[in-house]
Amino acid sequence: MNANRLLALYSGVLTAAAAVAVATSAGADTPPAKAVFDEIDVKRINVREDDGTIRMIVSNTSRSPGIIMHGKERPHPSGNRGAGIIFYNNEGSENGGLTFSGQKGPDGKISGGGHLSFDQYEQDQVIQLTQNEYNGRRWAAMVVNDRPDAALDFDMAERLSKMPDGPEKTAALQKVQADGTFGRQRLYVGKTRDRESAVMLNDAMGRPRILMKVTPDGKASIDFLDDKGGVIRSVTPDAK
């Protein structure tokens, strides 16, 4: 091979290499083509913003996320929360979710439920649409809660969840409930475990003050309560 042919071959190789480099570089700036599937099986899908911020996770039970706040994940206090969809705000912090479950246990008892919630910023759920059943007892409701201004204390929640059942845990739960550490319920509208239709309005301390209900056999009443739960006045269709 003479020098001219060698030079021409060398020049051709360099040109081809440059063309590949340009094409590769251009492809890196081009958004990937939209994929179309007739059917897809997955165990988890993470939906993120362009900068990587998590906005939604769809998962099965085994791959359900812990609690993610500002993009950092920690174990959920209750353990595995089950299959569903968890939503996140612009900062990558959890702010709501949709979960479902249902099964018959080895003892033959059925347990399950469905839950849609909306969370306060860096806090827990303030609106819940929820239903639950266990061993033949069922309840379903819309619940509205008050939450503290401060961020949720995950360390305390984790400590409480790990405490063994007993008087000490009961006392600790009663204390945080009285202090309003994790918030207080303000409104309940739904069906109770005793199959009553009920509307309960609570004050800022979470104390029931008005209770409207209809029993399974059709008896209706409206009770006005004091701050200790005592009935101040009860109104029924038969009341004069």
Side-chain angles (χ1 to χ4, degrees):
M1 181 178 294
N2 60 35
N4 288 338
R5 291 183 61 188
L6 182 61
L7 182 60
L9 178 61
Y10 180 70
S11 175
V13 170
L14 288 180
T15 302
V20 170
V22 169
T24 303
S25 175
D29 296 332
T30 303
K34 183 190 298 183
V36 178
F37 302 94
D38 290 331
E39 184 174 334
I40 181 171
D41 289 341
V42 299
K43 295 181 179 179
R44 174 163 162 167
I45 298 174
N46 301 327
V47 178
R48 299 182 182 274
E49 295 287 0
D50 294 343
D51 64 0
T53 302
I54 191 70
R55 296 307 303 270
M56 181 174 73
I57 294 177
V58 183
S59 74
N60 67 4
T61 300
S62 65
R63 295 177 181 266
S64 63
I67 295 178
I68 299 177
M69 298 297 290
H70 297 286
K72 297 181 179 179
E73 184 172 359
R74 62 187 300 155
H76 197 281
S78 62
N80 196 310
R81 72 173 94 198
I85 305 173
I86 306 300
F87 302 98
Y88 302 87
N89 66 18
N90 303 51
E91 300 173 353
S93 297
E94 184 173 328
N95 69 342
L98 174 66
T99 60
F100 292 96
S101 65
Q103 63 183 348
K104 181 181 287 186
D107 56 2
K109 296 179 179 180
I110 295 173
S111 63
H115 184 87
L116 171 63
S117 65
F118 304 82
D119 296 352
Q120 180 177 307
Y121 178 75
E122 293 190 346
Q123 261 289 340
D124 208 348
Q125 52 212 8
V126 290
I127 301 176
Q128 302 166 249
L129 297 176
T130 186
Q131 66 93 9
N132 185 275
E133 65 175 303
Y134 179 72
N135 194 28
R137 301 194 73 189
R138 307 175 184 89
W139 66 279
M142 180 185 76
V143 179
V144 176
N145 303 302
D146 258 345
R147 299 295 179 186
D149 294 332
L152 185 61
D153 189 338
F154 293 105
D155 292 330
M156 179 182 290
E158 189 172 353
R159 288 196 300 272
L160 288 172
S161 68
K162 291 181 178 179
M163 290 179 66
D165 292 336
E168 185 178 356
K169 183 173 184 177
T170 299
L173 290 173
Q174 289 175 342
K175 183 179 186 304
V176 296
Q177 184 176 11
D179 293 344
T181 303
F182 297 118
R184 297 183 173 96
Q185 187 180 108
R186 296 299 304 274
L187 170 69
Y188 177 101
V189 181
K191 181 185 71 173
T192 71
R193 291 179 176 84
D194 296 323
R195 300 180 61 224
E196 295 178 335
S197 297
V199 176
M200 185 166 64
L201 304 173
N202 301 343
D203 63 20
M205 298 299 293
R207 297 172 297 206
R209 302 308 296 264
I210 298 176
L211 174 61
M212 298 182 287
K213 66 180 180 180
V214 178
T215 63
D217 60 0
K219 295 178 180 177
S221 63
I222 303 176
D223 294 337
F224 296 87
L225 312 172
D226 61 23
D227 58 8
K228 300 294 191 299
V231 177
I232 301 173
R233 182 186 178 193
S234 183
V235 180
T236 66
D238 298 330
K240 303 297 184 180

